[in-house]
Amino acid sequence: MSKNSNSIFDMFTGRQLTIIAICIAVVFIAMGVSTWIIETEEEDTDESTLTLEEGGSDETGHKYKFEDREKRSKADKADSVVVNEPIEGDPYAELDELIGLEGVKHEVRSLANFVKVQKMREAKGLKSPKMSYHLVFTGSPGTGKTTVARIVARIYKDLGILKKGHLVETDRSGLVGQYVGQTAPRVNAVCDSALNGVLFIDEAYAITQSESSSDYGAEAVATLLKRMEDDRDKLVVIVAGYTKEMKQFIAANPGLQSRFNKYINFPDYTATELYDIFRLYLRKNEYTITKEAAAYMKNELELVVENKSRNFGNARYVRNLFEKAIQQQANRIAKERNISKDELVKITLDDLKVAFREVVQ
């Protein structure tokens, strides 16, 4: 290269080159910091935790957290494990007050009577056959399975089977992990939170329904069975779901078959029972319904029940109707002035028509 050839750097003074070098360095440093922040945020998102609600602890008061790399929404995480503390009151009276479910009430009372007599026999030094307190609740969604499970937990406490009588609700998402090493600790943590109470697993058949070769449902069942054996004097498990699927779920595993031999079926509600449930919502929330609206609702519920699908929500459907109806009532009267007490509590025919249009069965 000749002496007269100019390099690109010859176009700048020494001071300008220094400033350019500093600017380039600042850019690279900024890029590095941004990358680190993004990676940290991703790690924080992946290392999501699910903390049990108050009462989700063992006898020592230790709280449990579920380490979970599954990117579930906050709502999903909040719903996957719910701890229901036992409330005061007579569980038998609450059972009798439930609308419909006469067969269920009979089964629960029969079970309670049997346990009571066996306890009396033991107190007199007589032999008492060993029995399993675990239960299988079968039936469609919205038929009262969770409500009855809470009542059973309190009845078991009254009978001396359980010390605390609380209910821990969960499903597949609260038990089965997505990665190696997550499932067993998760099942153990949920079981620990349910000690001296009832663990209620909704749609339990879903635990083993995945067709993925890397699914950990079988591990969840194996861990659960071990805990049921190890803690047989202080842990009761109730599994629930559709009748056919639950029978297949139990039959597919000898361990489940030997521990779950008591089935209680929850039938779908009749149209009359659904109407009574709606009236109960009205009464508890201080609303009334016009005669025209009441007649319309009875007729519509008859049609709904007659044409219901397998996934019909039963009481959940009625609850949604109620919520839509009072929302429509609010929309109807909100702009009026000097609203009377009568208008504030009254649900009209038009309110119900809108509710039925908007609620999906």
Side-chain angles (χ1 to χ4, degrees):
M1 183 179 292
S2 66
K3 292 181 180 181
N4 295 329
S5 298
N6 293 326
S7 167
I8 188 172
F9 296 106
D10 293 336
M11 299 171 59
F12 304 96
T13 65
R15 182 179 180 183
Q16 290 174 326
L17 288 172
T18 301
I19 294 173
I20 291 172
I22 293 173
C23 289
I24 292 173
V26 169
V27 169
F28 276 102
I29 292 172
M31 290 174 64
V33 171
S34 298
T35 302
W36 176 78
I37 291 174
I38 292 173
E39 290 176 349
T40 302
E41 289 179 344
E42 289 177 347
E43 290 175 0
D44 290 342
T45 301
D46 287 348
E47 286 291 342
S48 58
T49 60
L50 171 62
T51 306
L52 291 178
E53 295 180 10
E54 186 176 357
S57 57
D58 63 12
E59 294 169 284
T60 65
H62 176 67
K63 297 289 183 180
Y64 291 97
K65 289 186 177 181
F66 297 81
E67 297 300 331
D68 186 6
R69 290 182 178 272
E70 296 178 55
K71 297 180 180 179
R72 297 197 302 260
S73 68
K74 291 182 179 179
D76 288 338
K77 289 189 290 183
D79 291 340
S80 60
V81 180
V82 179
V83 178
N84 298 277
E85 294 297 335
I87 61 176
E88 297 298 326
D90 182 359
Y92 297 98
E94 288 185 31
L95 181 69
D96 291 337
E97 290 172 1
L98 295 177
I99 293 172
L101 304 178
E102 297 307 320
V104 173
K105 296 173 185 177
H106 173 76
E107 290 287 347
V108 172
R109 280 197 169 274
S110 178
L111 173 63
N113 290 338
F114 182 79
V115 173
K116 188 181 298 183
V117 170
Q118 298 312 309
K119 291 285 185 181
M120 293 169 62
R121 287 175 57 85
E122 289 178 3
K124 299 292 185 181
L126 299 172
K127 291 183 178 180
S128 180
K130 288 190 176 182
M131 63 175 295
S132 172
Y133 300 116
H134 309 298
L135 301 170
V136 182
F137 287 178
T138 61
S140 302
T143 49
K145 294 186 291 294
T146 306
T147 299
V148 173
R150 294 190 188 107
I151 293 174
V152 168
R154 292 163 57 203
I155 289 176
Y156 277 177
K157 177 186 177 182
D158 286 353
L159 293 172
I161 298 170
L162 299 171
K163 290 182 180 179
K164 189 175 179 182
H166 64 298
L167 183 85
V168 176
E169 300 175 46
T170 191
D171 54 19
R172 175 187 163 89
S173 66
L175 299 172
V176 182
Q178 188 177 5
Y179 303 102
V180 175
Q182 287 186 330
T183 297
R186 185 180 296 188
V187 173
N188 283 323
V190 173
C191 288
D192 286 341
S193 72
L195 289 179
N196 298 308
V198 171
L199 173 59
F200 179 77
I201 306 175
D202 198 16
E203 297 182 348
Y205 55 83
I207 295 175
T208 56
Q209 272 193 339
S210 176
E211 297 179 357
S212 172
S213 59
S214 60
D215 185 70
Y216 303 102
E219 180 185 357
V221 171
T223 307
L224 177 64
L225 288 173
K226 185 177 186 304
R227 289 303 303 267
M228 291 171 69
E229 177 62 26
D230 294 345
D231 299 304
R232 56 185 175 276
D233 295 327
K234 53 184 177 180
L235 176 65
V236 171
V237 179
I238 300 177
V239 291
Y242 286 111
T243 303
K244 179 181 177 181
E245 285 84 345
M246 287 306 299
K247 288 182 178 179
Q248 292 174 341
F249 170 67
I250 300 297
N253 188 302
L256 293 174
Q257 282 183 306
S258 65
R259 289 168 177 82
F260 292 98
N261 50 38
K262 179 66 174 177
Y263 287 71
I264 298 180
N265 181 59
F266 288 68
D268 285 357
Y269 288 108
T270 65
T272 300
E273 290 168 344
L274 292 175
Y275 176 73
D276 290 341
I277 292 171
F278 187 85
R279 293 300 295 258
L280 181 62
Y281 281 124
L282 291 173
R283 186 167 63 254
K284 285 187 174 181
N285 293 279
E286 298 186 319
Y287 283 92
T288 62
I289 189 172
T290 65
K291 290 183 179 180
E292 296 81 2
Y296 173 79
M297 182 161 204
K298 290 178 181 178
N299 184 64
E300 288 299 306
L301 287 175
E302 290 283 356
L303 294 174
V304 167
V305 170
E306 185 178 337
N307 298 285
K308 66 184 177 184
S309 67
R310 184 173 184 266
N311 297 322
F312 178 58
N314 286 280
R316 295 178 191 173
Y317 174 75
V318 173
R319 182 187 63 199
N320 291 337
L321 278 177
F322 171 75
E323 292 174 353
K324 287 293 183 181
I326 63 175
Q327 179 62 61
Q328 175 56 27
Q329 183 238 31
N331 292 337
R332 176 172 54 80
I333 67 175
K335 295 182 180 179
E336 297 180 10
R337 294 184 178 181
N338 301 320
I339 304 174
S340 67
K341 182 178 180 180
D342 180 63
E343 286 298 318
L344 287 171
V345 302
K346 183 169 60 179
I347 302 298
T348 67
L349 174 60
D350 290 337
D351 296 333
L352 277 184
K353 285 183 176 180
V354 172
F356 272 99
R357 282 199 304 267
E358 294 187 356
V359 174
V360 178
Q361 292 186 34

